[in-house]
Structure formats: structure tokens, C-alpha cells
Amino acid sequence: MSGIFLRRGDELVAMVEVPYEAESVLQELLARYPALLAAGEDGGGGPWLLVRREAGLSLGDDATTHGYLDHLFVDPSGVPTLVEVKRSSDTRIRREVVGQMLDYAANSAARWGGDVMQRWFEEICAQRSEDPEKALLDAFPNLDNPSTFWDQVRTNLVAERLRLVFVADSVPSELRRIVEFLNGQMTQTEVLAIEVKQY
């Protein structure tokens, strides 16, 4: 028993933790509900705004190798937030996903830039029939100047001010130690491991 209960009238129902049926289920939840990752002011700089799912980028100098980041978000300060999702049952969560994430981070400034990220966000808004500037202000109501927001995103990319986030239903101790080590060594980039469980 998890120790988590749902109150239903006068009855308490014990919640049972269950694995996600597929990685795509967790990915869809994060895209629809970014607050699962960034809850309030203590959640890594406030709310996050989805820029793109499956954000593609070329890797290496010859640009023949391509990767796809699971989710790309930005926060109110224009800090790009790279998110990789793995179920705990996927053995790649222990080492391979770390190398993959560092590869994406190392190539993000050269391959994306603020213009690409802004275009991706505008494409998402067009799919939802939303005005991009209104969507930006709805997500970040305290934004001083929406017109210069993407300039700040570009500046952060160039300065390698990033946030790297590993998401799983359960974070293994090996990944936790790597995240702690990276945070101790990196000054411009924050690294997080977040558990999003399902009951």
C-alpha cells in the first residue's frame, strides 16, 4: 500500500501505484500538464511552456546524425528546458539517456536558436487556433516585454543557460547520483530528475 488515499464521500480508497502502459502515455501527460514538472515558484523557475514535442536536431559537425528530444519547454526567464522521458523498466534510463541528453544540450545552441524555437511555438499555437503572444502572456502573466522574450531565449541558448530534466515513474539511484554529480560540476545548466508516478 502506498499510503496515498482518495477521499470519496465518507470512504477512503487506497491508491495503488501502477506502471505506465507505455512511455507515450507519460509523454502526453507532460505535454498537456507541464505543472506536473514545474509546480509553482519552487518548480524550477515557475511555470513552463511547451515549445515542441519531438524537437529534432542534428548532432555532430557533419549533421548527418539526428536526434529527437521528447519535450522542449521554456520558463518565464526564457531558459530552454530539455526533457527526456523514460519508464523505469527501460534499462536505458541508467546511462544511455544521460549521454543522449548531453548530446542534445551540446548541440542545442548551434541547431535551434531563438528563431527556431519561436517558430515551433507559433506552429503549436496555429494548430490550436491560438494567438502566440496571447498564449505567451497567458502562460507568463508577469512577462515584462513579450516582444523581446525570444531574444532572451536566444541569449540563454548561446550562454548555455539550460535546464536538463530526466522524467520517469521511478528514478533509479544510478541516475540520481549522475544528476547530483552534474549539478555539482555545471554552473550555467541545471539538471533535474523528476518522478511522476501513476496511481
Side-chain angles (χ1 to χ4, degrees):
M1 190 174 298
S2 66
I4 297 177
F5 296 86
L6 173 67
R7 181 179 175 186
R8 189 177 290 154
D10 291 333
E11 183 184 7
L12 284 181
V13 179
M15 304 299 288
V16 178
E17 184 180 344
V18 294
Y20 291 93
E21 306 83 60
E23 190 176 295
S24 58
V25 175
L26 180 52
Q27 289 178 352
E28 178 63 28
L29 279 172
L30 302 182
R32 292 183 62 190
Y33 307 106
L36 287 168
L37 301 177
E41 292 303 315
D42 296 327
W48 297 349
L49 180 65
L50 181 66
V51 172
R52 190 175 181 90
R53 284 187 67 180
E54 296 297 324
L57 74 168
S58 301
L59 305 173
D61 293 335
D62 59 3
T64 57
T65 304
H66 296 275
Y68 291 90
L69 176 75
D70 289 338
H71 298 80
L72 177 60
F73 293 91
V74 288
D75 73 5
S77 300
V79 174
T81 299
L82 288 64
V83 176
E84 273 296 307
V85 179
K86 290 284 182 285
R87 288 189 297 169
S88 59
S89 58
D90 188 336
T91 57
R92 293 175 299 168
I93 195 172
R94 283 161 176 80
R95 285 195 183 91
E96 187 178 322
V97 71
V98 175
Q100 184 180 21
M101 178 72 90
L102 293 176
D103 211 355
Y104 294 160
N107 287 280
S108 60
R111 305 301 183 196
W112 290 335
D115 295 338
V116 171
M117 291 179 64
Q118 182 176 4
R119 187 182 77 243
W120 282 344
F121 177 66
E122 289 170 352
E123 288 171 359
I124 281 184
C125 290
Q127 292 167 8
R128 299 173 179 165
S129 301
E130 295 176 350
D131 175 68
E133 186 167 315
K134 182 180 184 306
L136 192 63
L137 285 171
D138 286 347
F140 307 143
N142 296 325
L143 204 61
D144 291 332
N145 191 344
S147 63
T148 61
F149 176 78
W150 296 107
D151 291 334
Q152 185 59 49
V153 171
R154 187 182 302 107
T155 298
N156 287 333
L157 273 172
V158 171
E160 298 178 342
R161 275 192 294 275
L162 306 171
R163 183 179 297 109
L164 312 181
V165 183
F166 301 96
V167 180
D169 50 346
S170 180
V171 175
S173 58
E174 299 96 327
L175 178 58
R176 187 174 289 114
R177 281 194 293 273
I178 292 170
V179 167
E180 290 169 355
F181 173 78
L182 290 173
N183 268 320
Q185 302 300 315
M186 302 168 84
T187 57
Q188 297 291 335
T189 299
E190 179 183 26
V191 187
L192 302 172
I194 300 175
E195 290 184 345
V196 180
K197 297 182 180 295
Q198 177 174 252
Y199 293 90

